Amino acid sequence: NAGVTQTPKFQVLKTGQSMTLQCAQDMNHEYMSWYRQDPGMGLRLIHYSVGAGITDQGEVPNGYNVSRSTTEDFPLRLLSAAPSQTSVYFCASSYWQGENEQFFGPGTRLTVL
Amino acid sequence: DAKTTQPPSMDCAEGRAANLPCNHSTISGNEYVYWYRQIHSQGPQYIIHGLKNNETNEMASLIITEDRKSSTLILPHATLRDTAVYYCIVRVDNNNDMRFGAGTRLTVKP
């Protein structure tokens, strides 16, 4: 199994541009989530999904959209990038919402100029 | 606000036990204590969790005080590869919204 994969690894955007961060898992996990990590800080939950077709907001959802059309994929969309969205983004998955262990991807480092 | 308090940094000699403390004085009866670690900008990695009993697995031991207001993660024989940021998190069961604080940066020295 590849586990949780994220693309791209690095991305530079200009203010106002849009892009989609990709996340995929091959473990048949129902629960997937997106976190952001700012320098020197812990992770904060952006959005999560308990299964295909179901998404919900986390702690810091503003400026981000998600959808979950398949069990495997959970893309994160930035509609109009802002410098405040410069961060490292991690995708995570687990069998279900209350599972003890979440598996994290390697992260996407995003810079918005 | 983070519900846990951890020292910002600690050092440990290679081969010795690393004891990482965590205060969670406002923990509720249905909240578990979880530990994750993050090695050099990689994604966090699950270590161990517990409710009120001490727990041990192949990676670490978790000691929770009787009043559950604090806990200690023990890495019994720290290696250089254990250098990482360690996060203590309290979480209600059936809820994967884990609130990460700033964690403790553990440096294992030769």
Side-chain angles (χ1 to χ4, degrees):
Chain A
N1 288 347
V4 180
T5 58
Q6 293 184 237
T7 57
K9 286 188 169 58
F10 301 93
Q11 183 70 48
V12 179
L13 292 178
K14 294 181 180 179
T15 297
Q17 287 184 315
S18 63
M19 79 158 297
T20 299
L21 308 185
Q22 302 291 344
C23 174
Q25 50 88 14
D26 61 357
M27 298 174 282
N28 203 29
H29 286 172
E30 290 295 325
Y31 183 86
M32 296 185 74
S33 57
W34 277 100
Y35 289 84
R36 62 177 285 173
Q37 184 174 32
D38 299 324
M41 297 179 64
L43 282 71
R44 292 184 291 170
L45 183 66
I46 304 171
H47 284 286
Y48 65 93
S49 169
V50 298
I54 305 169
T55 63
D56 207 343
Q57 297 180 349
E59 183 184 1
V60 287
N62 292 340
Y64 308 95
N65 279 353
V66 292
S67 61
R68 183 98 178 270
S69 56
T70 67
T71 298
E72 295 78 19
D73 301 295
F74 190 43
L76 178 72
R77 280 183 286 277
L78 285 71
L79 298 179
S80 179
S84 61
Q85 294 179 304
T86 294
S87 190
V88 181
Y89 291 85
F90 291 100
C91 179
S93 74
S94 59
Y95 282 106
W96 60 291
Q97 186 174 15
E99 181 65 44
N100 293 326
E101 180 176 3
Q102 285 197 75
F103 295 85
F104 284 80
T108 294
R109 186 175 297 275
L110 175 68
T111 301
V112 183
L113 303 175
Chain B
D1 293 334
K3 301 174 77 171
T4 62
T5 303
Q6 299 177 252
S9 65
M10 294 181 63
D11 291 340
C12 177
E14 188 178 19
R16 304 296 293 268
N19 297 283
L20 292 92
C22 179
N23 285 325
H24 31 79
S25 58
T26 61
I27 192 170
S28 301
N30 62 345
E31 287 182 316
Y32 287 70
V33 179
Y34 280 74
W35 284 84
Y36 277 72
R37 73 180 182 183
Q38 188 174 23
I39 297 174
H40 189 53
S41 300
Q42 296 177 18
Q45 176 190 24
Y46 167 83
I47 301 173
I48 199 168
H49 77 283
L51 181 62
K52 54 183 179 181
N53 297 323
N54 298 338
E55 302 287 346
T56 295
N57 62 19
E58 65 279 4
M59 290 182 67
S61 295
L62 174 60
I63 308 297
I64 302 175
T65 58
E66 194 169 340
D67 63 7
R68 302 210 322 124
K69 293 184 176 181
S70 65
S71 60
T72 300
L73 178 74
I74 301 172
L75 308 178
H77 305 286
T79 71
L80 299 180
R81 288 176 295 179
D82 291 321
T83 292
V85 178
Y86 288 77
Y87 298 100
C88 170
I89 303 158
V90 294
R91 195 199 93 177
V92 176
D93 198 17
N94 294 329
N95 185 337
N96 245 339
D97 181 2
M98 297 196 297
R99 301 298 173 101
F100 288 77
T104 295
R105 182 174 297 278
L106 175 69
T107 302
V108 181
K109 298 184 175 181

